[in-house]
Amino acid sequence: MDIGTLAAALRAEARRTDQRRLLVLHGERDACIDAAFTAVEAADVADGETTILSTREGFRFERHRPKHAGRLLGTTREAVILDAFGEFSPNAVGRSVGAVDGGGLYVLLAPPLEEWLDRRGDFDESLAVPPFGLDDVSGRFRTRFVETLRTHPGVAVVAVGTDDGDGDATEDVVERDGLTGDDAATPAPGPTTPADAAFPAAAYESCLTRDQSRALSALERLRHPGPAGSAVVVEADRGRGKSSAAGLAAAALAAEGRDVLVTAPAFGGAAALFERARALLDDLGVPLAVDEDRRIELATDAGGGRVRFRPPAAAVAEAGTVDVVVADEAAALPVRLLSGLLDAPATAFVTTVHGYEGAGRGFSVRFRGRLDDADRRVTDVRMDAPIRYARGDPVEAWAFRALLLDARPSVDAAVADATPDSVAYRVLDGDELLADEHLLSAAFGLLVAAHYRTEPDDLARLLDAPNLSVRALVHDGHVVSVAMLAREGGLDGTTREAMYDGERVRGNMLPDVLTSQLRDPDAAAPRGVRVVRIATHHAVRSRGLGSLLLDEVAAELGDDVDYLGTGFGATPELLDFWRDNGYRTVHLATTRNDASGEHSALMVRPTSDAGRAFAGRHARWFRERVGAVLSDALSDLDADVVRGALAACDAPGDPVVDVSAYEWRLTVAAAYGPGLADMAPRPFRRLALAHLLDGDADLSDRAERLLVRKVLQAREWEAVTEELDYVSTAECMRSLGRALQPLVDRYGDEAAFAERARYE
């Protein structure tokens, strides 16, 4: 069977079953590209329905570079060709395979498969972080990837022949034909319109599956949220039409005059939602006013209704001013932002269960507790029927397996009895993970569930990156806690100097920030291990397992490095966790992290004299600069994050309270007498910082929040009064005076005590 005949047979079976088929062409690049043209022509795919992802140019098809595969999101093609000879990455596969429609072909061009295992490309170079080189990057991910190509149903593999230039050509060899022999798919139940539907009939007539019409019916609950508010959670795998259902609901709500705000990690992720909303409003004859330049506004003249996009942070700020918020790809948003969206009377969370956009299980583990505690009516709906292809599509099943899109932790019952006494500490070697699919899925699934966004690229990093390693706690063979570790620092003088001059050095987060941003030329000299991610199974949290894992890591690696470190989107809970485990604050980022939506905190646990010197000077510098930053770039930082970060700063020596005799008179008068705190901010800031850094004075949580908001962040009295729930501005002022009294007693000198005596 030649390539053309095979491609035609695959296409015919794909059409008959309304599924997709995968054709792998491996050999020399030019020969594979020519073979792909032959395959597409023989499969009767029109040029306009074909997209190729390649670093090469000059094709008659639509072409994007593989690193721009995300441009296919929300689109459909009859054929997608991925040229893996340049810019190949797991993400490129994950983002492009979903664009192939039922009855279509996904064509992968690759070097000879046996040779591909040992080749290294652009993505591998990104894993070779200093001091490691390209030769240190393993090929485990590709080994596993190729194995799935050779064994999974619906995947055809052809070794493409080549011409040696002397007229001697090797023949194409069909190694697997990929034909499953399946019959035509059983038609799925069609969409229905509820008898009591509130949304227009045209909305339900636009649905493609019964699942989609069920989801649309559930979204009607956003119309009348009630006093406590309402929330609808729509979960589905990719390609189920969840975003389209949300778009239909958004348009129907706007047509009724509702103000609908849509958010997603990026506008591109919500493009399908807006496309479907626009189409329905057009069908309903609703006049539109669309901001074409910004691409984020779809407004209607129907009673002021509109549908508009805002980035997540902006959406949180506006949530309380709109009727409905729709969060598309909600699993990829941090909990803080998801919680902020509940300020809207009605909120829909639309999320992918399995996919690179985010993990539905992680969404439910991290956020559902808060949603359930929000005392609002919550409606859940799950969509299972694919839109673009029939159930049982082998290419979807292959992608899930090859990229571990469906990785999940062990079932709750298997780990329910886990305690610190029942678990064993293990080093999960990359070869062991490659050989044990169950172990790999369980460990990676825990990391997916604990993180805001995990991509297919992260699987390859886990398996291949020479600077990364994995440690775990295992109970009866089941992973209950896992940590991904990165080796950092120990860089040579030339690399450190280049870093100081602004050159980015991959994989060395703490040394990079402390060198380039905080101007420490020696920050990359100490050797460290950074905890990139740590996760404990949700069924056994709060049992000390995460802390035990960190202690075991310290016991194993502490003598070989100078410090253990971490960096994360700071929340009060995380700051307390890391502080309890011996990590101390050395930096707070002045901008919010794009992934977590939080200000990142860097923390260090020194393990040697060099590490203690390194941690000590950065803690001291942090203590010296943080006061000014809190009233400037960090003026919006959560008060409890400020408290947690300062409490975890362990700088050498006592905080400096250099207050003059005159300033003490002003301060003591505000604390014990008729003075006002607004008269001289500097001494009040010195006292507030000193207390929050060493915590010696006995103050309530509320009083400490008052010190942060009013004294350190210089908020207006009215705003502080409202946020901290004081009965009046006057009471808030008096409370600040009372909060200052133990600080005067703790840090005051003779001048302070003499002034205090006037009021006793």
Side-chain angles (χ1 to χ4, degrees):
M1 185 185 301
D2 60 26
I3 289 176
T5 303
L6 175 60
L10 290 168
R11 170 82 157 150
E13 185 172 84
R15 282 174 160 168
R16 184 174 67 252
T17 59
D18 192 28
Q19 297 175 345
R20 304 168 299 169
R21 296 295 182 266
L22 168 56
L23 173 60
V24 180
L25 303 172
H26 67 103
E28 296 303 314
R29 190 177 196 181
D30 289 341
C32 288
I33 290 175
D34 290 342
F37 274 69
T38 298
V40 170
E41 289 176 353
D44 192 28
V45 180
D47 290 355
E49 289 296 328
T50 301
T51 294
I52 186 167
L53 300 170
S54 177
T55 56
R56 292 272 184 92
E57 298 180 353
F59 301 105
R60 66 176 186 258
F61 312 128
E62 176 189 56
R63 176 255 180 192
H64 302 289
R65 296 182 67 123
K67 67 181 180 181
H68 297 148
R71 293 176 181 175
L72 293 182
L73 291 175
T75 68
T76 56
R77 299 288 187 272
E78 292 183 13
V80 172
I81 304 168
L82 174 60
D83 175 3
F85 285 86
E87 293 184 354
F88 172 78
S89 71
N91 274 4
V93 177
R95 291 170 177 168
S96 59
V97 69
V100 182
D101 210 353
L105 295 181
Y106 188 63
V107 184
L108 177 67
L109 315 183
L113 295 184
E114 293 303 323
E115 297 179 17
W116 198 23
L117 304 181
D118 297 320
R119 291 196 185 188
R120 299 294 178 265
D122 301 334
F123 180 72
D124 301 295
E125 289 182 4
S126 74
L127 303 183
V129 304
F132 297 100
L134 191 58
D135 291 341
D136 297 311
V137 179
S138 79
R140 297 186 190 98
F141 172 82
R142 244 186 323 270
T143 297
R144 184 178 178 278
F145 188 78
V146 168
E147 189 271 336
T148 67
L149 295 174
R150 291 196 181 281
T151 60
H152 204 281
V155 181
V157 180
V158 180
V160 179
T162 59
D163 189 334
D164 63 8
D166 296 326
D168 297 325
T170 58
E171 294 183 354
D172 302 329
V173 178
V174 177
E175 299 173 349
R176 300 185 72 215
D177 65 20
L179 297 169
T180 64
D182 292 341
D183 296 325
T186 302
T192 58
T193 302
D196 57 348
F199 285 161
Y204 286 96
E205 292 165 1
S206 298
C207 294
L208 300 178
T209 65
R210 184 162 297 180
D211 273 359
Q212 206 172 36
S213 60
R214 285 178 48 250
L216 183 61
S217 178
L219 289 165
E220 287 190 1
R221 295 206 170 187
L222 302 173
R223 297 177 66 245
H224 301 296
S230 67
V232 178
V233 178
V234 181
E235 291 189 326
D237 288 335
R238 289 184 68 189
R240 268 56 180 175
K242 61 187 181 303
S243 294
S244 294
L248 293 172
L253 290 163
E256 295 178 357
R258 305 296 209 282
D259 186 1
V260 182
L261 189 152
V262 177
T263 191
F267 177 76
L273 186 156
F274 274 84
E275 180 181 350
R276 185 54 68 94
R278 190 193 305 258
L280 178 58
L281 288 167
D282 186 57
D283 290 344
L284 295 174
V286 176
L288 308 179
V290 183
D291 186 338
E292 297 290 356
D293 293 332
R294 294 163 62 201
R295 297 191 309 149
I296 61 172
E297 188 95 9
L298 185 155
T300 80
D301 293 337
R306 57 180 177 171
V307 183
R308 56 202 172 96
F309 179 84
R310 291 289 182 269
V316 170
E318 297 182 37
T321 67
V322 301
D323 298 313
V324 178
V325 169
V326 178
D328 205 1
E329 295 306 344
L333 297 177
V335 171
R336 182 187 66 85
L337 296 182
L338 293 171
S339 299
L341 298 178
L342 293 175
D343 287 344
T347 310
F349 300 98
V350 183
T351 185
T352 301
V353 178
H354 303 123
Y356 75 91
E357 300 95 332
R361 184 57 181 161
F363 168 82
S364 62
V365 168
R366 294 192 313 269
F367 178 63
R368 275 310 300 262
R370 296 198 186 187
L371 181 58
D372 294 338
D373 291 341
D375 194 28
R376 61 175 56 203
R377 181 180 62 180
V378 179
T379 302
D380 291 281
V381 60
R382 170 69 185 258
M383 301 173 64
D384 293 309
I387 293 285
R388 297 174 181 170
Y389 39 81
R391 290 178 184 267
D393 176 66
V395 175
E396 179 181 73
W398 165 79
F400 275 22
R401 180 186 169 202
L403 304 178
L404 272 189
L405 297 180
D406 56 352
R408 64 190 66 196
S410 300
V411 297
D412 294 3
V415 300
D417 296 331
T419 67
D421 294 329
S422 74
V423 297
Y425 177 70
R426 287 182 58 184
V427 177
L428 299 187
D429 177 77
D431 290 335
E432 183 181 12
L433 290 170
L434 180 64
D436 190 335
E437 189 75 7
H438 173 75
L439 182 65
L440 175 62
S441 180
F444 192 62
L446 266 185
L447 295 171
V448 169
H451 201 259
Y452 298 116
R453 178 175 297 197
T454 301
E455 302 176 322
D457 281 358
D458 292 317
L459 175 62
R461 293 187 182 101
L462 178 72
L463 291 172
D464 291 341
N467 68 317
L468 295 180
S469 59
V470 181
R471 303 294 187 270
L473 298 178
V474 178
H475 171 78
D476 289 340
H478 300 281
V479 178
V480 296
S481 191
V482 63
M484 181 187 291
L485 310 177
R487 182 236 193 256
E488 291 193 330
L491 304 182
D492 60 66
T494 301
T495 304
R496 298 202 305 270
E497 185 174 352
M499 185 184 289
Y500 190 79
D501 289 337
E503 182 176 314
R504 298 304 303 273
V505 177
R506 296 187 308 270
N508 285 263
M509 187 183 77
L510 268 74
D512 180 57
V513 171
L514 301 181
T515 299
S516 61
Q517 295 184 27
L518 299 178
R519 314 312 296 160
D520 179 0
D522 298 319
R527 295 167 299 121
V529 168
R530 173 167 54 91
V531 183
V532 181
R533 298 186 187 179
I534 184 169
T536 297
H537 198 292
H538 68 276
V540 292
R541 287 180 180 167
S542 301
R543 298 184 187 179
L545 293 169
S547 296
L548 174 62
L549 179 55
L550 290 176
D551 285 342
E552 293 285 1
V553 168
E556 178 200 354
L557 302 175
D559 291 339
D560 298 325
V561 297
D562 299 306
Y563 68 87
L564 304 172
T566 187
F568 55 91
T571 65
E573 296 81 10
L574 285 176
L575 286 164
D576 287 347
F577 169 78
W578 288 103
R579 181 191 180 198
D580 289 344
N581 285 284
Y583 289 73
R584 295 296 178 258
T585 312
V586 294
H587 181 57
L588 277 176
T590 55
T591 57
R592 292 190 183 276
N593 183 279
D594 290 339
S596 71
E598 313 285 359
H599 290 269
S600 294
L602 302 187
M603 302 182 77
V604 169
R605 176 178 172 175
T607 58
S608 72
D609 289 343
R612 281 182 280 276
F614 162 75
R617 69 175 177 270
H618 277 284
R620 185 176 70 253
W621 292 343
F622 173 72
R623 183 177 67 189
E624 291 171 356
R625 69 177 180 271
V626 70
V629 181
L630 285 171
S631 61
D632 191 356
L634 293 179
S635 61
D636 66 337
L637 187 60
D638 181 86
D640 286 336
V641 170
V642 175
R643 295 171 61 215
L646 294 179
C649 178
D650 189 21
D654 293 329
V656 177
V657 185
D658 55 341
V659 177
S660 69
Y662 170 64
E663 288 175 322
W664 274 124
R665 291 199 297 274
L666 294 171
T667 304
V668 174
Y672 285 96
L676 298 175
D678 293 332
M679 292 299 99
R682 180 185 175 279
F684 297 100
R685 290 177 183 170
R686 287 295 198 186
L687 287 176
L689 271 176
H691 165 70
L692 292 170
L693 285 162
D694 69 23
D696 279 356
D698 185 17
L699 289 183
S700 67
D701 292 346
R702 190 190 196 193
E704 289 190 346
R705 294 182 186 115
L706 178 56
L707 291 177
V708 173
R709 284 303 197 216
K710 183 57 195 168
V711 177
L712 297 181
Q713 294 180 321
R715 297 290 185 89
E716 296 292 335
W717 281 112
E718 291 77 9
V720 176
T721 299
E722 180 178 359
E723 178 184 345
L724 300 183
D725 200 26
Y726 286 101
V727 296
S728 66
T729 300
E731 175 58 23
C732 185
M733 291 179 172
R734 287 191 292 270
S735 295
L736 178 58
R738 290 191 292 270
L740 290 170
Q741 290 176 0
L743 306 191
V744 171
D745 298 344
R746 166 68 176 82
Y747 299 105
D749 58 15
E750 291 184 4
F753 299 148
E755 183 69 18
R756 183 184 61 185
R758 295 174 58 90
Y759 306 106
E760 292 178 343

